[in-house]
Amino acid sequence: MKLNLLAVGQKMPQWVTEGYNEYAKRMPRECQLLLNEIAPAKRGKSGSTSQWMQEEGKRIMTALPENDYVVALEVGGRNWSTEQLAEQLKNWQASGRDVSLLVGGPDGLSRECQQRADQQWSLSNLTLPHPLVRIVVAEQLYRAWTVLQNHPYHRA
């Protein structure tokens, strides 16, 4: 199974790239985590939040593999404990489909992306900076995998 992280934003600071890569490389081949950076909309004096979200949404939908199970990262999504995320990961693996995790830009995900999602996941009730979300998702997926493997990384 491939876990495709589709995230709006490019040219991340070095600490973001290093943090994400640290956990992505720990994932086993049978549960690869791959990052697909989506170009953000150009924000300026003209245009609106809804226009920018729509533009980014179209780019996400274009990059989204057609048959993937889709999980949108949304503030209004379900909060999962580590053990619940591990159970989700197990279910995703059992489904035989790849999984795409969608992270919107600073204004969130378009309605089209939200409607395409099979599930919505909230990392926290807190507002997190989008670059940090990449690292948190990668670490939590790695942690969930270690739970399934009875690896000592996760100590609850």
Side-chain angles (χ1 to χ4, degrees):
M1 174 181 73
K2 288 182 189 169
L3 297 165
N4 299 300
L5 181 60
L6 282 71
V8 173
Q10 297 173 315
K11 300 177 186 166
M12 290 293 122
Q14 183 177 348
W15 66 269
V16 173
T17 303
E18 288 174 357
Y20 169 83
N21 287 338
E22 178 60 35
Y23 294 104
K25 74 180 181 185
R26 294 181 187 191
M27 296 295 285
R29 285 178 42 166
E30 65 271 11
C31 194
Q32 271 187 305
L33 178 59
L34 306 169
L35 176 63
N36 185 345
E37 293 184 317
I38 307 297
K42 298 212 184 299
R43 286 160 170 76
K45 291 181 182 178
S46 63
S48 67
T49 300
S50 62
Q51 276 181 308
W52 300 325
M53 280 177 38
Q54 288 301 96
E55 184 180 331
E56 291 166 353
K58 286 180 182 163
R59 291 178 183 161
I60 290 170
M61 294 301 288
T62 299
L64 184 61
E66 193 172 314
N67 296 318
D68 277 17
Y69 186 84
V70 177
V71 179
L73 276 89
E74 278 288 324
V75 172
R78 296 213 42 217
N79 286 305
W80 295 325
S81 67
T82 298
E83 292 76 12
Q84 289 169 322
L85 178 57
E87 191 64 29
Q88 290 295 322
L89 185 60
K90 186 168 116 180
N91 293 339
W92 296 338
Q93 287 176 308
S95 77
R97 293 167 67 188
D98 290 338
V99 175
S100 282
L101 301 132
L102 311 182
V103 178
D107 302 304
L109 286 168
S110 70
R111 185 175 312 281
E112 184 182 16
C113 290
Q114 292 173 8
Q115 290 173 342
R116 172 61 182 86
D118 298 295
Q119 274 183 304
Q120 291 192 1
W121 174 23
S122 174
L123 293 177
S124 172
N125 289 330
L126 298 171
T127 301
L128 300 174
H130 283 72
L132 185 58
V133 168
R134 296 174 186 208
I135 300 169
V136 172
V137 167
E139 193 279 336
Q140 288 299 299
L141 290 170
Y142 173 70
R143 182 177 296 275
W145 179 80
T146 65
V147 167
L148 295 175
Q149 305 304 312
N150 294 314
H151 186 282
Y153 178 81
H154 176 69
R155 294 175 182 94

